[in-house]
């Protein structure tokens, strides 16, 4: 998983090289002021960095405060809010941008105008995320089974005699803490559950980082204060909410301190680093370049597919279909309210970002 993340980040940082090609489509006229734009970019770097650090730290440091412990309902509501934020990020922010890029008139009519590539790539990315999820969990499950203590032959014989004489089909040895069969329950807090949550947090961070680099480069390459000014506030809240969502997943994954710190730092620095890269290539970067549009559209489509799958399957379905949720009407109401609140707040930001 770490190799996949590293390779993806390597591709992302090749992005500035790819998009610095010639422009074949006229750019929109806009007021350019490099000096004033630089001031807003510096403000954006500071505010986005701070917001990202605060957002991702809230759930991680929540273990210190009793009200935010994972077993409390407040933490459950925070997770629902965060899942709504991530879902809205995929559907409302990233996917429309991908469609806009890959359906631009600056791209050749064939093949880009003949097929909805953005939706197709997002679908493939969602399926690919599901496959990664499946392969990773299958590996951890097999490893878990291999580490279990084998039952000796005397116990097998005893169990077989019980089945023959009393027709009891449940074959369990409580003294050894395990059951025979191919099904291993994914109990909350178990080793398998912990492995699954770690896979979820790493894949989710990968999807968020892809999007963060792209929006950072776009903002950093712009030289229009009118374009940058509304983005500063919008992207600050955007980074704050995304940080809360990712921080909740990292907190549940229970990584070691070093791993947790690395993931938090990566998230906090990605968008500011994207802004710095965009500023560095602002003289050669063109948003209307066919190469830039294709790369942005493809990466945004991939990020949208990953985030939508993670939000619906690994975050919402896992919590909302749990027995804890089903047994508590009060928890159902609260979680649904916070889910809609998170999705609504993030969707509202699409007006400016």
């Amino acid at each position: 998983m770490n190799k996949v993340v590293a390779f993806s980040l390597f591709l992302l940082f090749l992005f500035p090289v790819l998009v610095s090609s010639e422009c074949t489509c006229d750019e929109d006229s806009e007021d350019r002021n490099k000096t004033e734009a630089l001031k807003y970019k510096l403000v954006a770097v500071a505010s986005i960095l701070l917001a990202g650090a605060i957002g991702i730290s809230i759930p991680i440091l929540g273990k210190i405060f009793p009200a935010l412990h994972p077993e409390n309902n407040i933490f459950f509501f925070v997770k629902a809010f965060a899942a709504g934020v991530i879902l809205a990020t995929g559907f409302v922010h990233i996917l429309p941008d991908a469609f806009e890029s890959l359906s631009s008139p600056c791209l050749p009519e064939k093949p880009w105008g003949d097929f909805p590539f953005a939706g197709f790539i997002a679908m493939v990315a969602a399926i690919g995320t599901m496959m990664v999820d499946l392969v990773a969990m299958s590996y951890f499950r097999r490893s878990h089974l291999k580490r279990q203590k084998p039952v000796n032959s005397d116990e097998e014989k005893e169990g077989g005699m019980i089945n023959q004489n009393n027709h009891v089909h449940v074959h369990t040895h409580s003294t050894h803490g395990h059951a025979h069969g191919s099904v291993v329950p994914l109990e909350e807090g178990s080793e398998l559950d912990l492995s699954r949550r770690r896979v979820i947090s790493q894949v989710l961070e990968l999807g968020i980082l892809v999007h963060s680099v792209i929006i950072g480069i776009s903002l950093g390459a712009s030289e229009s204060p009118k374009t940058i000014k509304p983005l500063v506030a919008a992207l600050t809240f955007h980074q704050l909410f995304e940080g809360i969502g990712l921080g909740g997943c990292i907190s549940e994954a229970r990584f070691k301190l070093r791993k947790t710190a690395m993931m938090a730092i990566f998230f906090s620095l990605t968008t500011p680093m994207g802004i710095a890269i965009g500023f560095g290539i602002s003289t050669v970067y063109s948003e209307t370049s066919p190469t830039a549009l294709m790369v942005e559209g493809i990466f945004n489509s991939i990020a949208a597919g990953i985030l939508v799958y993670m939000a619906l399957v690994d975050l919402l379905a896992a919590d909302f279909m749990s027995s804890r949720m089903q047994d508590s009407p009060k928890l159902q109401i609260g979680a649904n309210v916070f889910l809609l609140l998170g999705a609504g707040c993030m969707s509202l930001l699409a007006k400016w970002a």
Side-chain angles (χ1 to χ4, degrees):
M1 181 61 64
N2 291 333
K3 292 181 179 179
V4 173
V5 174
F7 179 71
S8 301
L9 290 175
F10 173 73
L11 290 179
L12 283 175
F13 287 108
L14 281 181
F15 173 68
V17 178
L18 295 174
V19 300
S20 60
S21 59
E22 69 282 355
C23 175
T24 59
C25 189
D26 294 335
E27 298 185 39
D28 296 332
S29 59
E30 57 179 355
D31 297 330
R32 296 177 179 272
N33 187 325
K34 291 185 178 182
T35 304
E36 189 175 356
L38 177 60
K39 295 178 182 179
Y40 287 117
K41 290 175 187 179
L42 294 176
V43 172
V45 169
S47 61
I48 290 174
L49 178 62
L50 181 62
I54 292 174
I56 199 168
S57 298
I58 289 174
I60 294 175
L61 298 179
K63 297 178 181 180
I64 302 174
F65 306 100
L68 290 176
H69 283 183
E71 63 272 10
N72 290 334
N73 288 346
I74 294 179
F75 186 79
F76 209 85
F77 296 153
V78 170
K79 285 174 60 182
F81 178 88
V85 167
I86 293 171
L87 188 63
T89 300
F91 272 124
V92 182
H93 287 257
I94 308 179
L95 196 57
D97 287 346
F99 273 103
E100 182 179 359
S101 296
L102 296 183
S103 61
S104 171
C106 298
L107 292 178
E109 182 65 23
K110 292 184 178 182
W112 302 102
D114 298 334
F115 188 78
F117 280 99
F120 176 75
I121 295 171
M123 178 189 70
V124 172
I127 295 173
T129 306
M130 182 270 295
M131 291 179 177
V132 170
D133 210 352
L134 173 64
V135 170
M137 285 313 303
S138 297
Y139 170 77
F140 288 124
R141 188 180 294 272
R142 288 194 300 269
S143 300
H144 180 74
L145 287 172
K146 288 180 181 179
R147 286 195 299 269
Q148 289 200 344
K149 183 179 179 180
V151 179
N152 59 42
S153 58
D154 292 336
E155 290 177 324
E156 289 289 355
K157 291 178 181 179
E158 181 184 348
M161 291 178 66
I162 292 174
N163 282 331
Q164 289 178 359
N165 297 330
N166 298 327
H167 303 286
V168 177
H169 297 287
V170 178
H171 190 188
T172 305
H173 301 280
S174 58
T175 57
H176 291 278
H178 69 274
H180 293 287
S182 60
V183 178
V184 178
L186 196 64
E187 297 178 355
E188 186 173 354
S190 67
E191 184 180 353
L192 281 175
D193 180 60
L194 190 61
S195 299
R196 176 179 174 273
R197 293 183 186 280
R198 288 178 175 178
V199 171
I200 290 171
S201 63
Q202 290 176 324
V203 176
L204 180 61
E205 176 154 21
L206 175 61
I208 291 175
L209 292 184
V210 169
H211 175 56
S212 297
V213 170
I214 293 174
I215 61 175
I217 290 176
S218 298
L219 187 150
S222 176
E223 296 179 351
S224 170
K226 290 183 178 180
T227 301
I228 299 173
K229 190 184 297 185
L231 287 177
V232 174
L235 292 180
T236 298
F237 284 104
H238 184 285
Q239 199 78 347
L240 176 68
F241 292 153
E242 274 192 347
I244 293 174
L246 179 59
C249 292
I250 294 175
S251 176
E252 287 191 318
R254 301 177 189 173
F255 288 111
K256 293 182 180 179
L257 180 60
R258 182 180 177 183
K259 180 78 170 182
T260 301
M262 286 180 61
M263 294 182 71
I265 291 171
F266 256 114
F267 169 78
S268 302
L269 292 178
T270 304
T271 302
M273 286 175 64
I275 295 174
I277 293 172
F279 176 74
I281 65 169
S282 59
T283 56
V284 293
Y285 178 87
S286 172
E287 291 184 347
T288 55
S289 163
T291 306
L293 290 169
M294 285 187 287
V295 173
E296 286 180 6
I298 290 171
F299 274 112
N300 275 331
S301 299
I302 293 172
I306 293 174
L307 295 187
V308 168
Y309 172 86
M310 299 298 292
L312 289 176
V313 178
D314 285 329
L315 301 181
L316 290 176
D319 287 340
F320 278 60
M321 299 303 167
S322 65
S323 58
R324 179 182 175 184
M325 173 74 81
Q326 295 172 4
D327 294 340
S328 175
K330 186 181 295 185
L331 190 59
Q332 291 178 26
I333 294 173
N336 280 287
V337 168
F338 274 86
L339 169 63
L340 294 174
L341 184 63
C345 290
M346 199 64 179
S347 299
L348 182 62
L349 291 178
K351 181 177 175 62
W352 299 281

